[in-house]
């Protein structure tokens, strides 16, 4: 008499807990921020624009960005919510789950390691290094093979001309 309700309760409880687990797993899965950011070292020639991004699968609550360079840490943006913010050459755009840090005209002052403190439903930290390269350096490097070929051609033409000249004079005398 007593076992009857118990027997039917156990499978019901069992089913119910499985259902609860599935629902919570699914809800959890949907709520992870899963950040994807620009990573590693980004090298930008001085005077060019730089764009560093971070995307999450939820909506940003707020974002803090710190710049670490020459052993000093500076807070570039502090707990910025949704919207567009500009400060001393840096622009931060936060829209839904997408964030963009834009520097229109990269200068030495912008170089260093950027630490993102991302706050969606969870908090995540990501960092990326901005390296400033010399625009003249890269064009000089590209010019070098061209210059070398030019020097060789002039040299070969000069030597050929000289030999021809000697030969011509030798023939006449
Ligand atoms: C979680 O989401 C990923 C893709 O967004 C999907 O492949 C995976 O099956 C999901 N897991 C659960 C338990 O829902
Ligand atoms: C973030 O999203 C934007 C817009 O879809 C995309 O252009 C950008 O490449 C994304 N960033 C990363 C690091 O995947
Ligand atoms: C932020 O700037 C982008 C591009 O400049 C623009 O598309 C967007 O509407 C702006 N958002 C706000 C909230 O002003
Ligand atoms: C960063 O840029 C400088 C030139 O401005 C270069 O000498 C250095 O090797 C670069 N560092 C990295 C890690 O790419």
């Amino acid at each position: 008499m007593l076992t009857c309700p118990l027997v039917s309760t156990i499978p019901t409880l069992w089913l119910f807990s499985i259902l609860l687990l599935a629902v919570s797993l699914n809800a959890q899965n949907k709520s992870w921020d899963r950040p994807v950011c620009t990573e590693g070292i980004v090298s930008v020639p001085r005077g060019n624009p730089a764009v560093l991004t971070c995307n999450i699968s939820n909506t940003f609550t707020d974002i803090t960005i710190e710049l670490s360079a020459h052993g000093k840490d500076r807070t570039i943006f502090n707990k910025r919510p949704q919207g567009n913010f500009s400060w001393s050459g840096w622009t931060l755009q936060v829209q839904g789950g997408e964030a963009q840090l834009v520097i229109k005209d990269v200068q030495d002052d912008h170089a260093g390691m950027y630490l993102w403190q991302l706050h969606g439903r969870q908090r995540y930290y990501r960092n990326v290094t901005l390296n400033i390269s010399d625009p003249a350096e890269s064009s000089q490097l590209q010019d070098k093979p061209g210059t070398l070929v030019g020097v060789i051609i002039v040299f070969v033409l000069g030597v050929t001309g000289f030999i021809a000249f000697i030969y011509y004079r030798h023939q006449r005398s």
Side-chain angles (χ1 to χ4, degrees):
M1 280 291 265
L2 264 171
T3 53
C4 219
L6 201 72
V7 163
S8 65
T9 311
I10 287 167
T12 313
L13 269 175
W14 178 235
L15 248 168
F16 184 70
S17 56
I18 284 178
L19 201 78
L20 209 74
L21 192 73
V23 166
S24 73
L25 267 181
N26 198 37
Q28 248 182 11
N29 198 39
K30 273 183 189 152
S31 66
W32 292 125
D33 285 346
R34 281 194 284 260
V36 183
C37 296
T38 312
E39 279 182 299
I41 298 163
V42 177
S43 199
V44 176
R46 194 176 291 106
N48 282 44
V51 181
L52 307 171
T53 63
C54 265
N55 300 331
I56 60 168
S57 45
N58 295 313
T59 299
F60 279 115
T61 307
D62 59 67
I63 290 177
T64 296
I65 298 175
E66 280 172 16
L67 174 58
S68 176
H70 314 294
K72 273 191 247 167
D73 295 341
R74 280 187 285 172
T75 301
I76 308 296
F77 292 104
N78 191 20
K79 288 201 171 138
R80 294 304 196 176
Q82 298 279 318
N84 292 344
F85 312 94
S86 275
W87 185 74
S88 182
W90 291 281
T91 300
L92 176 66
Q93 290 173 21
V94 187
Q95 199 162 34
E98 290 178 11
Q100 258 194 343
L101 180 67
V102 183
I103 305 159
K104 269 192 199 150
D105 173 18
V106 160
Q107 296 302 328
D108 292 336
D109 197 35
H110 301 121
M113 194 189 80
Y114 286 83
L115 178 71
W116 294 79
Q117 296 176 33
L118 307 167
H119 182 199
R121 289 197 192 176
Q122 299 89 38
R123 284 174 197 276
Y124 289 92
Y125 297 87
R126 290 289 182 273
N127 64 59
V128 58
T129 300
L130 181 66
N131 200 355
I132 315 299
S133 60
D134 204 340
E137 215 171 74
S138 52
S139 62
Q140 260 173 22
L141 278 175
Q142 275 162 9
D143 278 351
K144 256 179 198 158
T147 313
L148 198 68
V149 167
V151 166
I152 290 169
I153 288 173
V154 168
F155 182 74
V156 167
L157 282 178
V159 168
T160 314
F162 185 70
I163 289 168
F165 176 70
I166 299 285
Y167 182 75
Y168 177 71
R169 279 192 62 171
H170 186 76
Q171 286 286 89
R172 281 189 73 180
S173 61

